[in-house]
Amino acid sequence: MDLTYLQNITYPMLKGSLVTLSVFAITIIISIPLGFCFTLMARSRIRILNRIAEIYIYILRGTPLLLQLMVVYFGLPLIPGIGKYLVFERYNAACIAFALNYAAYFAEIFRSGLIAIDPGQYEATKVLGLTRFQTMIHVIIPQMIRVSLPTISNEAITLVKDTALVTVIGVTEILHYAKTAVNRDGDTFAFLVAAVIYLLINAVLTYIFKKLEKRYDF
Amino acid sequence: MKKRSILILMLVAAMAMLAFAGCGNSETSDTASDEAVSNDDGVFVIGLDDSFPPMGFRDEQNEIVGFDVDLAKEVAERMGMTFYAQPIDWDSKEQELNGDHIDCIWSGLTMTDERKESMTFSEPYLENNQIIVVKNDSDIKSLADLAGKKVGMQKGSSAYEAFNASAIKDDVDETVEFADNVSAFQDLNVGRIDAVIVDSIVARYYIQSQDAEFTVLDDSLSPEFYGVGFKKDNTELRDKVQAALDSMVEDGTTAKISEKWFGEDIYYKGE
């Protein structure tokens, strides 16, 4: 294999990996807190909040992410009246769709984390005289994170691979550049390079989550 | 104490991610994924399939080049506008156009009757056939021989439309749709399909550049034309682009660009 050729096809893909990584980072930063909000809403005693969270999760989990990307980019601007305020640039539309979609999944992950906590813990904090807020911050959330971490790690790895979907609204990422190289040279080698880049990213992620799991192993 | 260190760790991780996000943003702003979209901002945004040699594709420096790109660049310059090439998903091209995300589709776009109803077209600029490509040792010699065979083509392409309009459609064993033409050629090469129906311009370029052991059958589906597609009733921009193209034909610029990509002047000047 010619080294210059390898360089030539790898450089655009590394550039594309910055898009992949930034979409990943923005999605994680927005969707985790947003997802937790929906978890709290789903568990709240106020019925209307329950319903909103349920419907949100149902819609966002129940339709393909690919479709949601297209709706955010192509569909929203067509809404009569408010449509003109919902015209997003390609990259921003991609981040919005990903954050909204992953928030639904994270909401369910956190909910399962909360269910796993023994009800006796709530009673214990009551005996200790902790307020509801203190209980949440010091007792419940750390345990919820510990229980959820393996699933979150799973979801994060899926997210890295899902970013390849953004090409449908014209955002160019790793796989898109691999495809252009394959179409130019008629040689599928570029796909192999793309696979290696994805594996490298996920190797780092796996390592980070392993460390985090150790941290939360109290 | 332990809890505080965890918090700090998470904060650092979040910062690192933000930093990533930041550099990702600034990086993309000068590549193809961010753009200012509007019809009247002095930027001429063409939407194209950037894996479609020789009409529009990425060279080894990752620049978008090609016959269409050279034409459009020159047109933009003559209109006094800044040129911008936006890679799009071919299946979404109509939405890209109708939502004003791009100004036109300039990407070896075949002027089918169906598309003429939903878009406003320039005059045709290239003549193109839908041809049948088989392996050198294939027993398929004519259009009729496709009966009982597996036939591949790009989904949403004019090859697909031409094939569906032809009588042979009902006789083939299976039609396989690919995201792009090169995938179809690769499948043909490994023998998963028996024939590919494709634009002659694309096929000739592929066979020539790859030294592929493919044969083009003498039979072809209906002859067609490439044109530039604009949003329905956007005749103002269409006329400006057409005027620029006409002036390029007159002073020999189109001939020069055609020779660069095809080795001869095949720019279509009408009957």
Side-chain angles (χ1 to χ4, degrees), chain B:
Chain B
M1 269 311 108
K2 203 171 165 206
K3 237 166 250 159
R4 186 163 298 163
S5 64
I6 292 164
L7 239 144
I8 289 169
L9 184 89
M10 285 190 72
L11 240 131
V12 170
M15 289 296 213
M17 282 175 169
L18 266 172
F20 256 138
C23 76
N25 267 336
S26 58
E27 194 62 33
T28 46
S29 59
D30 54 40
T31 66
S33 45
D34 269 282
E35 87 286 16
V37 236
S38 142
N39 266 325
D40 40 42
D41 54 3
V43 182
F44 183 52
V45 182
I46 70 160
L48 83 168
D49 173 0
D50 64 346
S51 50
F52 189 24
M55 310 309 286
F57 63 107
R58 285 180 189 268
D59 66 8
E60 296 193 339
Q61 278 70 50
N62 205 32
E63 297 292 324
I64 298 177
V65 296
F67 177 72
D68 280 342
V69 176
D70 280 353
L71 282 181
K73 250 185 203 159
E74 182 65 26
V75 164
E77 193 164 298
R78 289 184 190 212
M79 295 191 302
M81 293 169 87
T82 317
F83 172 76
Y84 191 92
Q86 173 62 51
I88 57 167
D89 187 71
W90 199 240
D91 287 337
S92 306
K93 55 187 177 305
E94 287 84 7
Q95 283 119 292
E96 293 276 3
L97 200 56
N98 290 334
D100 288 326
H101 301 292
I102 53 176
D103 292 328
C104 67
I105 302 168
W106 201 325
S107 189
L109 180 68
T110 303
M111 304 166 68
T112 61
D113 289 338
E114 219 170 53
R115 285 179 186 157
K116 276 180 196 163
E117 269 170 38
S118 62
M119 295 177 200
T120 294
F121 270 100
S122 69
E123 298 293 319
Y125 66 91
L126 270 189
E127 189 175 2
N128 177 46
N129 290 319
Q130 300 301 330
I131 56 168
I132 302 149
V133 179
V134 296
K135 283 181 95 164
N136 281 347
D137 54 7
S138 170
D139 55 351
I140 301 171
K141 305 286 178 219
S142 70
L143 186 60
D145 289 345
L146 287 178
K149 303 285 186 187
K150 288 197 175 78
V151 183
M153 62 208 77
Q154 185 183 21
K155 66 175 180 209
S157 68
S158 48
Y160 177 78
E161 282 167 33
F163 174 77
N164 272 328
S166 71
I168 194 73
K169 174 187 85 162
D170 302 321
D171 298 332
V172 299
D173 174 40
E174 191 188 339
T175 53
V176 187
E177 293 170 47
F178 296 89
D180 50 73
N181 287 312
V182 172
S183 308
F185 284 133
Q186 273 159 0
D187 238 26
L188 178 63
N189 198 30
V190 298
R192 276 191 291 239
I193 54 175
D194 303 307
V196 174
I197 297 180
V198 60
D199 292 4
S200 62
I201 302 248
V202 181
R204 295 230 161 78
Y205 181 83
Y206 182 85
I207 294 170
Q208 185 194 346
S209 66
Q210 300 307 320
D211 239 353
E213 292 179 350
F214 291 160
T215 306
V216 175
L217 297 190
D218 292 334
D219 286 355
S220 68
L221 301 173
S222 57
E224 296 163 337
F225 296 97
Y226 284 166
V228 186
F230 299 87
K231 190 178 180 180
K232 184 89 187 152
D233 297 328
N234 188 358
T235 48
E236 191 193 331
L237 183 64
R238 195 269 313 269
D239 293 344
K240 270 167 74 180
V241 169
Q242 192 60 53
L245 276 175
D246 290 345
S247 75
M248 283 159 63
V249 173
E250 249 161 61
D251 65 16
T253 312
T254 54
K256 231 192 293 172
I257 293 174
S258 174
E259 270 155 30
K260 175 177 164 193
W261 293 104
F262 300 110
E264 55 186 318
D265 182 12
I266 57 169
Y267 189 93
Y268 184 77
K269 299 172 195 76
E271 294 299 334

Side-chain angles (χ1 to χ4, degrees), chain A residues 16-29:
Chain A
S17 72
L18 288 175
V19 175
T20 296
L21 286 173
S22 65
V23 171
F24 172 81
I26 289 170
T27 305
I28 289 283
I29 290 167

